[in-house]
Amino acid sequence: MAEVEETLKRIQSQKGVQGIIIINAEGIPIKSTLDNSSTVQYAGLLHQLVMKTRSTVRDLDPQNDLTFLRVRSKKNEIMIAPDKDYFLIVIQNPSD
Amino acid sequence: TSGFLRVPYTTCRSLVPPNDDTPFSPKVFDENGTDVTPQPLYRPDPAAVPPRQSKILMAQDVSGATFSDFFSSAFHTTYASFGGPFTRSLFESSIVSKSSQSTMESLNEEIEEPSSKREGIISLSDVQVRREEVKEPTTEDVLNKKVDIHLTETETLCLLDIPATSVSVESEEAEIVKQRNAAYTELCKNRMGNDKYVERAMQTFNGAPKAKEVQTKSITKVDAGKQTTNWDIYDTLSGTGVEGVVREPPETEESNLLDIMSNHIEDAPAPEVILYSEKFQQDLLVMEKVVLQNIFQPKLAAYRQLPILKDPDSTQKPKDTGKTEKQIQKTEDIPSSPALEPLWSFTCELTVGRNVSSMTWNKMNPDLLAVGYGHFDFEDQKSGLVCCWSLKNLKWPDRIFHCESAVTALDFSGHNGCLLAVGMHNGSIATYNVQSKEKTPITDSSEYPHKHTGPVWQVKWVSQERAHSEEEKGEALVSVSADGRICKWVLKKDLDCVDLMKLKRTKSERTRRQLGERERRSELVIWREVPGLCFDFHPEDSNIYLTGTEEGFIHKCSCSYNEQYLETYKEHKGPVYQITWSPFSPDVFLSCSSDWTIQLWRQDLLEPVLVFTSPCMAVFDVAWSPKWATVFGVVTEKRLEIWDLGASILDPTIVQDARPGVKLTSLQFASESDCILLGDSDGQVGVYQLNLNLGEGTQIKMHCSILLFN
């Protein structure tokens, strides 16, 4: 249990990490290091995106499944680790 | 009434009623003696029955039915008048079950008709009773018997018959019809002006129309639709889908994918359960590695010798970009001089302040590095630490093992990539399995009676090619320690060790002569064994190994003799800290010692071929480069030196000073890349890229042989 906290702290302290959000399967944020409005916005939009992505991957091959999703944009990179029960989202700007 | 059949077979007499003459209808008498027997509703025509019966007989004779069939059918016909539906069905079934001959079937049909009309008549005669007795056992049998069900066709019932108005040209009636048709057309022709035909009009009644209304309940229609995907179908078919898939789709018109998905999800687990689940921890670790890869991507690319791509989205000030571009251009024009480029360093808060004592790469996974932390001196002994660092996570080790004593030696097994042997300052040797998450060692020699009594300075896994028995083949763990023993450890049932060599103190000739006689006599030899500090097995012959002692001697030994040395190389004046065979030339080895020298030897010469004296302090570590045959690295307390024998044998090619306040302790080359690792006394393992601009391999080998042409 303490390991989880430690690892979260370590990720948060890495260079360029802007925020970590953990949302449950329904799209409700459980834990977040950003402010409330951003969290809710990220959670809602990314939930849909992951569902769509997962649907795409599985449509192409039903035995396949989505394991990781990275969205690189001009200003930052959003990394999402999806699971059956939760989504782990980290937003990082590596060139900071 | 029907008589009974006089059966010519004697054996059925028992079942035939005793009195032959009286009919079987029971007689009911009232008090006056009048016969008030209810009359049967139907009297079969006696004339009709016997022929049927005879027919039965004949049929049976012809078909060869069994005896039992015969009398059961006889029963049937005889008692048909008295049989109620109960008995009839019983007999029918028994008949049916026993044979499926067509005659019997037709028989059943015929018999069925009369008996169906006689429902309601139940005879109470003795025979009936007896029949009932017979019935009892058969009911159970009958239930278990197979019943053949025969489906027969009924008569064709004609429901609608519209005769055709046209006839085929080829039918027989065609001629007649044609003639009639012709006659008719002629008649029509003649009709025009004929007096025989008169036109007349008629008026028919028009019925008054009446409107009639019917009102029904409104039929509710429901539109049901579901959006499904390829994988949804697959999931349902394979049974792995979430429960809600089988449920009826929601009646709302929402076709939003999100809603449909969320309908299918059962109650989401509580946040605490999620946060502390195993899977979440794993995902976190993966995420950490991804984040770090983003940060260190250029360094890792340099390590892997991949071209470093500039991030197109990086927001840097234009001034800086201008400068770096110019710099890049400059470096491209001039061939760069040999240099060490720092990439990153493995360090974390756990390791700060600890002395790096040894490093080793994993033999199976070249991205995994084990680093042992422990002080060399007897003072300020902290507990030891072993960290397994991975190239994927540069900021936190993958595995952390706490040891009770300072770690002084490490080695990964070659056969089993997960085994890590750790030698400690208190003389014990432990093996860990790095694959599992357990923090405790697999084996620990601290309880073993023959364990080392001094710090273990080196451990190595050696594969035994030549072995006495089958079980010794594989790998053995060899260790050398300050108590002067070189031991080979074998794990059979318990940890067991065999002394390969006891390093005895030998005095050189010179010192013996110098000592006066009196001094020699009074000299007490307190300790016969001399601490061994390092050893190295020959790369090709696993029986031969070299070992360096505190006296400054290098002994060549063999596993077959544990009393005698094969050779002794005496040149160093101080303890020999490291010996390594060259990976390219099988006869050449290097040794370094605290007498400020590094010496290059050839196996058959007792004098060193070359002596390097550049550093002016004790040399702690020396290592050959795995890529270039003439390159080796040297670590002294304050400097790292890279020597290239092809370039110069007098001066090192690259000299790098340690960070201020930090002592360098150990050195390791990376096998898959051009980098070297440097451990220091502050717990940092720095990774540097070596740019030597050398070709590979063979050309260098020639240099080597030229050098050794003594």
Side-chain angles (χ1 to χ4, degrees), chain B residues 244-261:
Chain B
V245 172
V246 187
R247 266 192 286 148
E248 270 167 21
E251 289 181 9
T252 59
E253 278 144 14
E254 284 230 35
S255 60
N256 193 355
L257 186 64
L258 176 63
D259 280 342
I260 291 175
M261 286 303 301

Side-chain angles (χ1 to χ4, degrees), chain B residues 205-441:
Chain B
F205 284 119
N206 292 335
K210 185 173 161 185
K212 196 145 180 188
E213 277 177 21
V214 173
Q215 205 169 32
T216 61
K217 259 197 246 180
S218 69
I219 303 167
T220 51
K221 293 186 199 153
V222 176
D223 274 333
K226 182 171 165 33
Q227 198 172 6
T228 188
T229 51
N230 207 7
W231 53 266
D232 208 355
I233 298 168
Y234 175 84
D235 272 347
T236 321
L237 279 179
S238 62
T240 57
V242 187
E243 298 260 334
V245 172
V246 187
R247 266 192 286 148
E248 270 167 21
E251 289 181 9
T252 59
E253 278 144 14
E254 284 230 35
S255 60
N256 193 355
L257 186 64
L258 176 63
D259 280 342
I260 291 175
M261 286 303 301
S262 59
N263 268 335
H264 293 174
I265 294 165
E266 304 292 326
D267 301 317
E272 296 82 38
V273 175
I274 297 177
L275 283 179
Y276 298 127
S277 65
E278 179 76 32
K279 181 93 193 348
F280 185 70
Q281 175 66 16
Q282 279 175 8
D283 276 348
L284 270 180
L285 290 171
V286 170
M287 185 63 82
E288 198 186 346
K289 289 177 184 167
V290 171
V291 166
L292 283 167
Q293 270 191 344
N294 267 346
I295 298 172
F296 287 105
Q297 199 272 333
K299 311 282 186 197
L300 287 172
Y303 182 87
R304 303 257 188 225
Q305 297 163 328
L306 295 169
I308 300 171
L309 300 168
K310 196 166 167 309
D311 188 2
D313 297 317
S314 64
T315 53
Q316 279 188 345
K317 294 191 210 110
K319 199 169 41 150
D320 289 332
T321 48
K323 224 195 281 177
T324 47
E325 272 175 30
K326 260 188 263 161
Q327 276 180 352
I328 290 166
Q329 279 189 346
K330 247 205 313 191
T331 49
E332 275 171 15
D333 296 338
I334 307 167
S336 47
S337 54
L340 268 186
E341 199 185 297
L343 291 178
W344 71 83
S345 70
F346 287 114
T347 183
C348 70
E349 58 197 16
L350 273 184
T351 66
V352 169
R354 291 179 187 267
N355 182 31
V356 173
S357 58
S358 54
M359 297 184 283
T360 177
W361 289 101
N362 188 321
K363 313 259 180 333
M364 296 235 164
N365 177 6
D367 286 346
L368 202 60
L369 173 74
V371 181
Y373 301 88
H375 282 264
F376 289 135
D377 321 317
F378 279 108
E379 306 96 44
D380 51 58
Q381 277 289 319
K382 283 186 247 177
S383 65
L385 182 66
V386 177
C387 287
C388 290
W389 293 88
S390 159
L391 275 179
K392 295 188 186 156
N393 188 342
L394 307 180
K395 288 285 183 185
W396 190 259
D398 270 359
R399 295 279 186 272
I400 302 170
F401 301 111
H402 288 274
C403 307
E404 48 186 30
S405 163
V407 173
T408 48
L410 281 182
D411 198 30
F412 265 111
S413 160
H415 283 208
N416 178 2
C418 321
L419 273 183
L420 175 66
V422 180
M424 286 180 260
H425 203 275
N426 64 359
S428 53
I429 297 173
T431 53
Y432 287 88
N433 181 0
V434 296
Q435 234 179 15
S436 74
K437 295 264 184 187
E438 279 186 29
K439 305 284 185 158
T440 52

Side-chain angles (χ1 to χ4, degrees), chain B residues 667-685:
Chain B
L667 173 71
Q668 187 79 225
F669 275 89
S671 54
E672 303 276 314
S673 134
D674 287 348
C675 297
I676 58 171
L677 281 81
L678 197 58
D680 63 21
S681 63
D682 196 27
Q684 275 203 25
V685 176

